[in-house]
Amino acid sequence: MAQPHSTSPLSHLWIEQSPMAIAVFDQRLRCIVASELWCKIHQIQPDQVKGATFGELMPTLPLHWQTALDQALQGNPTSHEGELLNIPQSKREWVRWEATPWRDTQGKIAGVMWSSTVLTKQRKQALRRQQQEEHIRTIINHSVQLMALLTPEGRILEVNSTTLAWARLQRESVLGLLFWDVPWWEMSVSNQAKLKGAIAKAANGEWVQREITVYRGDQVTVLNFSITPITDERGEVCYLLPEGQDITERKTAQQAMIRQEANWNAAQKLAQVGIWEWDILTGAVVWSEGVFRIYGLNLEQLPPSLDRQVELIYEGDRQRFYTTLYNTIYHEEPYDLEFRIIRSDESLRYIHAQGQPRRTEQGEVSHLFGILLDITDRKQLEFQLQRSQNQLLDLEKMSSLGQLLAGVAHEINNPVNFIYGNLTHADNYIQDLLNLVSLYQTTYPQPAPAIQEEIEAIDLEFLIEDLPQLFSSLQVGADRIKEIVVSLRHFSRMDEAEMKPVDIYQGLESTLMILQNRLKPRADSVGILIVKNYSELPKIEGYGGQLNQVFMNILSNAIDALEEREGQPEQKQKPSQITITTEVVSTGKAIQIRFVDNGPGIPPGIQRRLFEPFFTTKPVGKGTGLGLAISYQIITEKHHGELLCYSSPTMGTEFKITLPIQQEAG
């Protein structure tokens, strides 16, 4: 501001004519004169100005204003291009001020002239932006991250030393350039396009964040890169603040962990192993991917609670699982057990579990940690091996039994043939003798006393009447023995190595003959009725002895089921019965044999496992669990047929066998 004449500051006319608001103070900072505009800006009554000190006029005097006043009294003018002031009883205003010394006629400093100007709206905005930019520059220059300040168009206004050192660039070489034109890293055309797109989004007010990989020679750097738009009071974007954080080490560690986890998951998958942990205090359960695969559950879902996990365990193994869990928690024992689970697809899996408890610093068990191993494949191999061994043993037994039965049948057959062949002759001889006695009685009606006594002693009349009936009974018994011998011969064909034409009826009748003792009424049982719905069947290609074994297994199981209802009221209402139905299927290429009993039926859960090796519901020592499994193998594998079971509780059970009449070649 131009310095007025020595007396001009005291001229009220000059002060009022000035476009600036002016107040003049003496050396003790008491007001000599002040313009109406100055009083208006600072909300002071004109009649209160003269003689009042600067501090009295402005009780909220900023500290730096006192400094400016002191400097002016020492001959050093001070100014401020714009400052936001709290004016009493008014709004905050942006004011430009200047503190200038004024001198008397001798040239000595006589006081301070304080001038103020309220800034225009445009000037206020420019000033705010300038201060905002200075504030941002301060933040940028003090940041240890990679930071720069850009215009909305992407030109560089400022860049901090951290960024310059990282990019090995000089500040002067990048200011004013477009951000994507600076060689921060090896910038391909596609990278430039991506960077332009990100800056354009930020210029529209959108916060942009990217994780980018940059290359400089052999050096690879991963940056967590973001662009923050900065707006003015009108909400318009005035600056862009790009920021980068070098996360190479963290990313490398994460990738190493991901690779390690992937390798571990792959190893678990190959080994069919899973890891789990249970927080006893909170109930939280943690599963690895392997456990989800073992239980057949979706990887995206949360691990089930321990109670839900126990529900997936086969019912017969749950108590053993709970006992092991109890011993682990309360006796602090490591656990090692095998149990079975039922998947959602109702498949059965065998699991081997190992683990140990974890303790708190106070020594209390707080977690259980362990691994699960799916040993289903191993178990199946063991079952197959055991089944093969048992089948070989069973076949050996049946072969020996067949040889024994064949030998017994042969040995019985010879004397039976001798008896059977002479019964006719004996009958003829007896008839001749009886005729002779009759002729003698006719010729000599009055026998001698001794003969009469003998006739009475032996009851000749009864003997003559009963003897033909006796011979008839002997004939029936001989026929029965002959039938049994034939059945034993048919049933004993266990060691046949080649397929031969098989008469199904011979096999059925032979099996029923052998089981007759269990079917007929006894003192403690009313017996089981066999209903035969036979139709004419052709002979089929097969192994007669093995098919007889299937018939024996199915009929024996039916008899076992019917014997369970002995003495129960329902048996009197529905007497035990087994119906055997045979027919040729509609295609004419196969036959069907159906065994239907009216027993208690089989629950659905057991039906699913009926043909599993070693599965049995019978008491220990009464069943091996191999009968139906071997029968299923004989029908499906040996004869390429089908064995199905249909059953429902209280409605009985049906086993349906379908066998091809001719086996396909190969």
Side-chain angles (χ1 to χ4, degrees):
M1 187 178 83
Q3 179 68 31
H5 296 294
S6 60
T7 58
S8 62
L10 302 179
S11 171
H12 190 274
L13 180 61
W14 177 84
I15 292 174
E16 291 295 343
Q17 291 178 347
S18 174
M20 293 186 297
I22 298 174
V24 180
F25 298 87
D26 61 17
Q27 285 188 333
R28 290 185 292 179
L29 297 179
R30 289 180 300 186
C31 184
I32 300 172
V33 64
S35 68
E36 291 184 7
L37 182 59
W38 192 90
C39 293
K40 183 178 180 181
I41 290 175
H42 296 287
Q43 298 291 309
I44 301 172
Q45 295 296 326
D47 57 355
Q48 298 176 355
V49 172
K50 192 171 183 179
T53 64
F54 198 101
E56 291 172 345
L57 295 174
M58 297 186 181
T60 58
L61 175 70
L63 293 178
H64 61 278
W65 280 20
Q66 184 63 54
T67 303
L69 292 168
D70 294 340
Q71 289 291 325
L73 290 173
Q74 295 177 14
N76 301 316
T78 305
S79 64
H80 198 293
E81 291 302 316
E83 184 174 5
L84 189 61
L85 297 182
N86 290 317
I87 298 175
Q89 301 178 354
S90 181
K91 62 182 180 180
R92 291 158 61 87
E93 289 284 358
W94 285 91
V95 176
R96 179 188 181 280
W97 56 264
E98 183 176 3
T100 307
W102 65 274
R103 301 177 186 274
D104 58 15
T105 55
Q106 286 79 30
K108 296 180 181 180
I109 295 175
V112 178
M113 184 170 62
W114 188 279
S115 60
S116 303
T117 305
V118 177
L119 300 180
T120 63
K121 184 176 181 180
Q122 292 77 10
R123 180 58 183 160
K124 292 176 185 178
Q125 291 175 354
L127 189 60
R128 286 195 188 98
R129 181 171 294 185
Q130 179 183 350
Q131 291 182 343
Q132 186 181 36
E133 182 176 329
E134 290 176 356
H135 179 66
I136 294 172
R137 287 176 186 270
T138 302
I139 294 175
I140 290 174
N141 289 324
H142 286 82
S143 175
V144 296
Q145 304 296 340
L146 307 176
M147 294 187 74
L149 182 65
L150 312 179
T151 66
E153 296 74 29
R155 291 196 178 277
I156 300 173
L157 297 174
E158 184 62 89
V159 60
N160 67 357
S161 57
T162 304
T163 305
L164 294 171
W166 177 81
R168 304 188 187 106
L169 296 172
Q170 296 297 320
R171 185 173 182 276
E172 295 75 14
S173 66
V174 298
L175 292 180
L177 296 179
L178 291 169
F179 190 78
W180 53 82
D181 286 339
V182 177
W184 307 110
W185 52 78
E186 294 178 5
M187 192 75 70
S188 64
V189 175
S190 63
N191 283 339
Q192 279 187 331
K194 290 178 182 178
L195 200 54
K196 287 180 183 179
I199 289 175
K201 283 185 177 182
N204 288 326
E206 181 179 345
W207 181 73
V208 180
Q209 193 272 336
R210 299 282 189 276
E211 188 176 286
I212 59 175
T213 302
V214 299
Y215 301 89
R216 288 185 301 174
D218 296 334
Q219 184 180 357
V220 180
T221 305
V222 182
L223 295 178
N224 185 13
F225 183 76
S226 65
I227 304 177
T228 303
I230 299 173
T231 58
D232 57 18
E233 67 276 4
R234 295 173 297 175
E236 296 179 357
V237 176
C238 55
Y239 300 106
L240 300 179
L241 189 65
E243 182 177 1
Q245 181 182 7
D246 189 341
I247 58 172
T248 306
E249 292 185 2
R250 187 181 74 191
K251 199 67 180 176
T252 302
Q254 287 178 349
Q255 290 174 348
M257 290 179 64
I258 291 172
R259 285 195 301 270
Q260 184 178 7
E261 185 175 357
N263 292 336
W264 175 237
N265 287 332
Q268 289 186 65
K269 186 174 181 181
L270 289 173
Q272 294 182 312
V273 173
I275 298 175
W276 73 286
E277 185 175 11
W278 175 43
D279 188 328
I280 299 173
L281 303 179
T282 65
V285 177
V286 178
W287 278 9
S288 71
E289 290 184 8
V291 180
F292 282 96
R293 280 191 291 267
I294 289 174
Y295 277 86
L297 299 177
N298 194 329
L299 291 174
E300 296 179 358
Q301 72 179 72
L302 292 173
S305 64
L306 186 69
D307 291 338
R308 173 58 184 148
Q309 182 182 347
V310 171
E311 290 177 4
L312 300 175
I313 296 176
Y314 180 68
E315 187 175 0
D317 296 343
R318 291 177 189 171
Q319 186 57 50
R320 187 157 46 86
F321 181 87
Y322 275 125
T323 301
T324 302
L325 210 63
Y326 177 88
N327 291 334
T328 303
I329 295 174
Y330 294 101
H331 298 165
E332 301 183 8
E333 299 175 353
Y335 63 88
D336 189 327
L337 80 155
E338 292 183 5
F339 58 90
R340 293 163 290 180
I341 62 172
I342 304 294
R343 285 182 170 179
S344 57
D345 60 1
E346 298 185 350
S347 62
L348 183 74
R349 309 296 294 181
Y350 289 81
I351 309 301
H352 182 202
Q354 286 183 311
Q356 59 186 10
R358 285 182 174 175
R359 299 172 180 82
T360 62
E361 294 180 356
Q362 291 74 29
E364 297 178 353
V365 175
S366 61
H367 292 72
L368 290 187
F369 172 83
I371 63 171
L372 299 180
L373 174 63
D374 188 336
I375 58 172
T376 305
D377 293 342
R378 191 189 79 191
K379 282 290 185 181
Q380 288 177 345
L381 289 174
E382 291 176 357
F383 290 155
Q384 289 175 3
L385 178 61
Q386 190 173 359
R387 182 177 68 175
S388 298
Q389 292 173 341
N390 281 277
Q391 283 180 331
L392 289 173
L393 182 61
D394 193 49
L395 290 173
E396 182 66 27
K397 288 180 179 178
M398 294 304 290
S399 177
S400 300
L401 178 60
Q403 294 174 9
L404 176 62
L405 291 177
V408 170
H410 178 73
E411 293 300 323
I412 293 176
N413 192 51
N414 287 334
V416 166
N417 283 337
F418 175 76
I419 296 171
Y420 192 82
N422 286 297
L423 279 176
T424 303
H425 299 296
D427 186 44
N428 291 335
Y429 297 158
I430 292 299
Q431 288 299 327
D432 289 343
L433 290 173
L434 291 176
N435 289 335
L436 179 60
V437 170
S438 178
L439 180 60
Y440 184 85
Q441 287 177 329
T442 303
T443 306
Y444 300 100
Q446 297 297 328
I451 294 175
Q452 184 64 37
E453 288 180 8
E454 188 62 26
I455 288 173
E456 293 176 358
I458 66 173
D459 196 355
L460 180 60
E461 184 178 351
F462 173 77
L463 189 149
I464 292 171
E465 181 183 352
D466 189 58
L467 193 55
Q469 296 179 10
L470 176 63
F471 268 90
S472 177
S473 297
L474 291 174
Q475 184 69 47
V476 172
D479 290 340
R480 180 65 174 162
I481 294 173
K482 190 173 183 179
E483 290 174 1
I484 293 174
V485 169
V486 172
S487 296
L488 289 175
R489 283 181 171 176
H490 289 159
F491 194 81
S492 65
R493 296 183 298 179
M494 295 296 174
D495 55 348
E496 293 178 347
E498 296 181 359
M499 281 194 171
K500 295 180 181 180
V502 176
D503 187 334
I504 294 297
Y505 294 128
Q506 281 188 354
L508 289 172
E509 291 302 317
S510 299
T511 305
L512 290 172
M513 178 69 71
I514 293 173
L515 292 171
Q516 189 62 37
N517 186 58
R518 298 188 64 188
L519 297 171
K520 66 183 182 180
R522 301 186 302 273
D524 58 344
S525 173
V526 296
I528 299 172
L529 176 64
I530 299 295
V531 178
K532 302 175 183 178
N533 294 329
Y534 290 171
S535 60
E536 187 175 351
L537 294 181
K539 290 186 177 182
I540 68 167
E541 282 188 333
Y543 300 99
Q546 293 184 14
L547 290 175
N548 290 345
Q549 185 180 358
V550 174
F551 301 154
M552 176 68 75
N553 287 332
I554 293 176
L555 286 169
S556 295
N557 284 335
I559 294 171
D560 289 340
L562 291 170
E563 286 179 346
E564 291 179 1
R565 42 199 305 267
E566 288 287 342
Q568 297 181 7
E570 64 181 44
Q571 186 189 22
K572 296 180 180 179
Q573 299 172 0
K574 293 192 304 179
S576 298
Q577 176 180 300
I578 299 175
T579 302
I580 305 174
T581 303
T582 64
E583 61 182 348
V584 178
V585 299
S586 58
T587 61
K589 295 182 179 181
I591 66 166
Q592 280 186 351
I593 310 157
R594 297 200 301 273
F595 300 87
V596 181
D597 66 59
N598 61 346
I602 304 173
I606 295 177
Q607 285 185 52
R608 291 191 294 268
R609 307 188 57 205
L610 211 54
F611 300 118
E612 287 184 15
F614 309 106
F615 176 77
T616 180
T617 59
K618 296 177 181 178
V620 177
K622 191 173 182 181
T624 63
L626 284 171
L628 288 177
I630 292 175
S631 298
Y632 187 82
Q633 185 184 31
I634 289 173
I635 296 298
T636 59
E637 296 181 14
K638 300 289 187 180
H639 292 82
H640 306 99
E642 189 177 51
L643 175 57
L644 300 175
C645 175
Y646 306 97
S647 183
S648 61
T650 73
M651 297 299 293
T653 301
E654 175 184 350
F655 281 91
K656 183 171 71 174
I657 299 173
T658 303
L659 294 168
I661 296 174
Q662 297 288 333
Q663 295 291 328
E664 295 182 3

